[in-house]
Amino acid sequence: MTVQGHKAGAALAIAADVRAGRRSAVSVVTAVIADIEVRDTRFNSVTRILGPAAVAQAEEVDKAVAAGRDPGPLAGVPFGVKDLFDVRGEVTTAGSIVLRDNLPATRDAEVVERLRAAGAVPVATLNMDEFAYGFSTENAHTGTTRNPHDPARLAGGSSGGSAASVAAGLLPFTLGSDTNGSIRVPSSLCGVWGLKPTYGQMPLRGVYPFVASLDVVGPMADTVEDLRAVYGIMAGGVHVGEPDVGDVRVARLGGWFAENISPELAAGIDRVMAHLGHDRVIELPEVARARAAAFLISAAEGGNLHLPRLRRRAMQYDPATRGRLMAGAMLPAATFVQAQRFRRWFRGHVHAALAHADVLVAPTTVGVAPRIDQPSITVNGRTVSARANLGIFTQPISLAGLPVLAAPLAVDGLPQGIQLIGAPGGEAKLFAVAAELQRAGLAACRPIEAGYARKDS
Amino acid sequence: MSSAARLSPSAPVAGAGGHDDRKGPPVADMARIIGLSIPAACMPDVVANTALLQGYADLVSGFALPDDCEPAYEYTP
């Protein structure tokens, strides 16, 4: 099967096989679960396997196929969700023991509901930083997720389990959330495709919140085609257009976004810009303050959200999260309001920049994934905490609420990624550029071992 | 602007909270105002994070905004 001129992604290939009766949904799902049980011991990307419910749903897909009914465009495709999406019958933990006594969800999160209606089968919940507050997926309750390309290194976060399970080839697509970079950072460090849609576009019903002003949810996948298909279903079945990439004006972000990046990453961006035939460089103003504003808004809203529980049982929280939430809860109103006013100011300047380009290219992180035993990066000659600073290029964009497609560069060695940043609602142009980079071999996701693609079941 | 010194505002040298915390924000007082009791074991980390946020707050507050620049509560990208 081909999709829009390209070889189909793994998810679409599975769906094509199931729809045509070449594979059963039950065989796909049971094989994926078995693969996770065997191989995820190395990566710790999965927190729960949804075995009986997944098999039961797969049986329904197979019945639909046998009866000649349409099983949906993602028939029998297994997927995983960051453990902050409601899955009916399961307790949504948000990566914490603080919520473990909550009642199980009585219905799916809206985006999960839409994917299930399209035939996709949730098979696992995935690891994350506690309450999505971190860039590393180091979790005191559920452990650290390891990077499949080098298990001695971080997967990034907070949607680290979502990225690692795709990079490992355990799942063809997953769902994550992105407040300050939590889809983009792990996508970059694990070498997978990821999409942070425009703020406000995706329904958040059934998604455990972190920062209402910034939260979005989106997919991560092994190909642009799968990413686009899943995104379209998550967005309510919208058709994602495909403008001619030649008509898309592309520029590179300079200034803040050109500093501190590795030579290999800089060369990768050079190659991308040369291939696309654009040499314009745009600088956004006051990027350091934009990052600071996103940091403050996150701290204040996250802290306020958890304040009632912090008053009663603070010691149940992950130590790495607790102090940050407490400090955020105490932020003065004047600080929070100033940050929100600055956001308004920054929005105006971002829109002015977007008058000159449809897609802005920027690095996602400064370089490759840090080692777990040495979780630091170098910024302006200083060694700083990876956990706090991996998002230096993603947080300013979060403040503006823009859509961003995280593209994995096709590089030798450890993965590195770039952000393709669009105007609000400009996802189709991001997909056009991403598809061209994939077609040209400049960007690629290379799963370690795609267990779901085996057809021996 | 140069961001070098602003990336990770320094934590205070002293780690204690409360009235004697002259090098950092009055964390114990701030916590009391919102009904939060900070366990002693957590205080150094909360103080460090409060100082970090204060650095970012200084950065944002150091930028003059026009009076008609409203907060982005109902934000549309």
Side-chain angles (χ1 to χ4, degrees):
Chain A
M1 174 184 175
T2 59
V3 174
Q4 295 174 335
H6 303 304
K7 184 181 177 186
L12 291 169
I14 291 170
D17 282 346
V18 170
R19 290 170 62 88
R22 292 189 291 270
R23 299 175 80 184
S24 72
V26 168
S27 70
V28 172
V29 165
T30 53
V32 161
I33 289 173
D35 191 35
I36 291 171
E37 287 175 334
V38 170
R39 290 202 294 129
D40 195 49
T41 51
R42 294 179 61 201
F43 313 124
N44 193 35
S45 67
V46 170
T47 51
R48 275 175 290 176
I49 295 174
L50 312 173
V55 172
Q57 191 197 335
E59 287 173 345
E60 293 303 313
V61 171
D62 288 335
K63 286 179 188 173
V65 173
R69 299 193 305 271
D70 184 355
L74 293 178
V77 178
F79 72 104
V81 301
K82 185 176 184 176
D83 200 357
L84 49 58
F85 290 86
D86 282 355
V87 176
R88 67 181 184 228
E90 299 291 327
V91 174
T92 306
T93 72
S96 178
I97 63 170
V98 173
L99 304 182
R100 68 181 171 188
D101 294 329
N102 283 3
L103 293 172
T106 55
R107 62 185 294 195
D108 291 329
E110 190 158 349
V111 292
V112 175
E113 204 169 81
R114 289 174 177 178
L115 289 165
R116 205 193 282 269
V121 182
V123 299
T125 61
L126 304 168
N127 203 16
M128 56 185 286
D129 290 283
E130 187 187 41
F131 294 117
Y133 207 172
F135 288 121
S136 59
T137 312
E138 297 171 289
N139 187 309
H141 313 300
T142 53
T144 298
T145 292
R146 295 175 176 273
N147 193 314
H149 292 278
D150 180 355
R153 293 177 184 270
L154 293 170
S158 63
S159 308
S162 304
S165 54
V166 172
L170 296 170
L171 294 166
F173 82 87
T174 58
L175 303 189
S177 66
D178 191 314
T179 302
N180 281 291
S182 286
I183 287 175
R184 291 163 285 164
V185 168
S187 291
S188 172
L189 299 184
C190 290
V192 307
W193 297 93
L195 180 71
K196 168 204 171 315
T198 305
Y199 173 75
Q201 186 186 81
M202 285 284 173
L204 295 178
R205 181 184 60 72
V207 179
Y208 193 82
F210 173 28
V211 180
S213 289
L214 302 173
D215 289 344
V216 298
V217 297
M220 300 151 92
D222 69 333
T223 59
V224 175
E225 291 76 22
D226 280 355
L227 195 76
R228 178 174 13 214
V230 175
Y231 162 67
I233 291 165
M234 290 177 73
V238 302
H239 172 70
V240 184
E242 190 177 21
D244 187 328
V245 70
D247 295 334
V248 179
R249 297 169 302 158
V250 183
R252 180 179 190 156
L253 281 183
W256 172 276
F257 296 94
E259 299 169 2
N260 294 301
I261 60 176
S262 70
E264 296 80 10
L265 183 51
I269 296 175
D270 288 343
R271 286 193 295 274
V272 164
M273 296 305 295
H275 176 76
L276 295 172
H278 297 277
D279 58 5
R280 183 168 200 145
V281 177
I282 289 176
E283 284 201 34
L284 299 177
E286 302 294 344
V287 178
R289 286 190 168 95
R291 182 194 177 220
F295 210 109
L296 293 165
I297 291 168
S298 298
E301 293 191 14
N304 176 266
L305 178 70
H306 288 279
L307 182 56
R309 282 175 295 273
L310 289 168
R311 288 180 178 129
R312 297 196 313 272
R313 42 199 175 108
M315 298 313 287
Q316 287 186 344
Y317 281 73
D318 185 328
T321 310
R322 181 172 53 222
R324 305 171 76 189
L325 289 173
M326 285 181 162
M330 296 186 296
L331 264 186
T335 297
F336 177 72
V337 174
Q338 185 75 4
Q340 289 283 9
R341 290 181 64 211
F342 181 84
R343 187 185 199 193
R344 179 78 64 194
W345 180 91
F346 189 62
R347 177 187 184 279
H349 288 267
V350 166
H351 278 252
L354 288 167
H356 303 290
D358 302 308
V359 174
L360 304 170
V361 178
T364 307
T365 59
V366 297
V368 301
R371 289 183 58 85
I372 292 171
D373 61 3
Q374 195 176 348
S376 59
I377 59 175
T378 301
V379 178
N380 294 331
R382 297 166 55 205
T383 299
V384 296
S385 155
R387 187 183 202 115
N389 292 287
L390 273 172
I392 63 170
F393 298 135
T394 54
Q395 287 179 282
I397 308 303
S398 291
L399 188 73
L402 304 177
V404 187
L405 199 156
L409 292 177
V411 293
D412 295 329
L414 293 168
Q416 303 193 59
I418 58 173
Q419 300 182 86
L420 305 175
I421 304 162
E427 280 83 353
K429 291 178 179 175
L430 301 182
F431 277 108
V433 174
E436 173 57 24
L437 296 179
Q438 180 180 258
R439 187 203 63 76
L442 290 172
C445 171
R446 295 164 175 161
I448 299 299
E449 179 186 349
Y452 44 74
R454 296 187 197 112
K455 296 188 180 181
D456 55 352
S457 50
Chain B
M1 63 169 287
S2 170
S3 60
R6 305 284 193 174
L7 273 167
S8 293
S10 301
V13 176
H19 297 291
D20 296 332
D21 184 11
R22 292 171 189 161
K23 292 182 183 292
V27 170
D29 291 339
M30 293 162 69
R32 197 172 300 118
I33 288 169
I34 61 168
L36 178 64
S37 175
I38 300 176
C42 304
M43 187 58 85
D45 193 38
V46 178
V47 169
N49 277 288
T50 301
L52 178 75
L53 293 179
Q54 186 59 51
Y56 288 126
D58 291 344
L59 188 56
V60 174
S61 299
F63 187 70
L65 291 166
D67 286 357
D68 61 356
C69 182
E70 298 176 347
Y73 297 137
E74 297 293 330
Y75 187 75
T76 301

